[in-house]
């Protein structure tokens, strides 16, 4: 039996093919913004998925990480980033650093990214990874993200990668006029909606984007 060409794929060719399928999956799931797709092509998700799940880094699925958290599926990361409409001069706050993948993508689009996690271990590991990847425009902080970062506010954009029952008041207050916040909201892990909040001259406009599932937004610092 003669082996086909696919049986002799060089490992680098195989990786390139997996990345190509990865980008195709993003487009097919609604991630169409050219700047977002370019950012997601530049930032290798493989750097953020370790251990036994490393070989699944290019699949469109959430995966477990340390401290009982998850790295979101790439299409959701792309759709959330797309909904933010990040401009090159924007300062962005991310609540929920996790693996660091979302912040790394935002770093390709914004002037400055502040990312906050309640778990010191996650913040430290993400900061080390950002340094290795030479992503100098990300500041990583261990803190209770539900309170935002008053010392650095206001922000042009805010993204929350954990679900609250309602958009936290401190985060709404730290959003600039004209600013956008994207976050999941819902009272259980079974019923959540991704929403986009825009601050206007008279208040806030809310737009529901799609159903999602995220870990809950928890107040206080984590134990790890």
């Amino acid at each position: 039996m003669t082996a086909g060409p696919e049986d002799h794929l060089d490992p680098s060719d195989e990786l390139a093919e997996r990345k190509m399928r990865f980008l195709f999956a993003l487009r097919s799931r609604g991630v169409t913004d050219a700047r977002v797709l370019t950012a997601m092509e530049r930032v290798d998700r493989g750097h953020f998925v370790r251990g036994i799940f490393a070989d699944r880094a290019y699949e469109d699925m959430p995966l477990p990480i340390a401290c009982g958290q998850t790295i979101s599926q790439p299409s959701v990361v792309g759709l959330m980033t797309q909904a933010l409409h990040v401009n090159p001069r924007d300062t962005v706050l991310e609540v929920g650093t996790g693996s660091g993948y979302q912040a790394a993508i935002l770093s390709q689009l914004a002037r400055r990214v502040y990312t906050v996690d309640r778990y010191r271990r996650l913040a430290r590991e993400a900061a080390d990874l950002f340094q290795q990847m030479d992503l100098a425009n990300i500041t990583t902080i261990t803190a209770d993200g539900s309170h935002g970062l008053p010392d650095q506010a206001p922000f042009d954009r805010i993204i929350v990668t954990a679900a609250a029952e309602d958009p936290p008041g401190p985060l709404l207050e730290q959003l600039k006029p004209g600013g956008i916040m994207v976050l999941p909201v819902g009272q259980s892990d079974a019923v959540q909606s991704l929403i986009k909040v825009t601050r206007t001259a008279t208040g806030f406009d809310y737009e529901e984007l799609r159903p999602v599932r995220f870990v809950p937004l928890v107040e206080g610092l984590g134990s790890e």
Side-chain angles (χ1 to χ4, degrees), residues 71 94 168:
I71 178 172
E94 179 195 29

Side-chain angles (χ1 to χ4, degrees), residues 198-205:
T198 305
R199 186 163 196 172
T200 68
T202 56
F204 298 93
D205 284 344

Side-chain angles (χ1 to χ4, degrees), residues 6 12 31 33 37 54 70 97 133 150 177-178 194 211 215 218 223:
E6 65 276 5
S12 61
V31 184
D33 183 282
L37 286 167
T70 59
T97 308
M133 296 172 71
L194 188 65
V215 296
V218 179
S223 58

Side-chain angles (χ1 to χ4, degrees), residues 93-110:
L93 170 64
E94 179 195 29
V95 176
T97 308
S99 69
Y101 180 57
Q102 175 73 78
I105 289 166
L106 291 168
S107 76
Q108 307 295 306
L109 302 167

Side-chain angles (χ1 to χ4, degrees), residues 40-150:
M40 296 189 75
E41 185 174 13
R42 284 180 185 158
V43 176
D44 190 342
R45 192 175 186 240
H47 293 318
F48 301 87
V49 181
R50 303 184 180 95
I52 60 173
F53 295 103
D55 63 344
R56 310 191 78 171
Y58 305 106
E59 296 180 24
D60 190 37
M61 62 186 300
L63 295 168
I65 60 171
C67 303
Q69 304 301 294
T70 59
I71 178 172
S72 297
Q73 66 191 86
S75 61
V76 171
V77 171
L79 290 167
M80 291 180 77
T81 306
Q82 185 169 271
L84 273 181
H85 298 291
V86 179
N87 296 308
R89 296 186 62 81
D90 284 350
T91 298
V92 182
L93 170 64
E94 179 195 29
V95 176
T97 308
S99 69
Y101 180 57
Q102 175 73 78
I105 289 166
L106 291 168
S107 76
Q108 307 295 306
L109 302 167
R111 181 178 64 86
R112 167 64 56 186
V113 178
Y114 291 91
T115 182
V116 180
D117 204 283
R118 64 190 295 266
Y119 290 104
R120 194 174 304 279
R121 174 184 173 182
L122 293 180
R124 183 181 65 246
E125 290 180 356
D128 289 345
L129 196 48
F130 299 150
Q131 188 171 17
Q132 292 169 28
M133 296 172 71
D134 199 25
L135 302 177
N137 64 336
I138 306 177
T139 300
T140 311
I141 299 166
T142 303
D144 180 348
S146 64
H147 298 298
L149 287 177

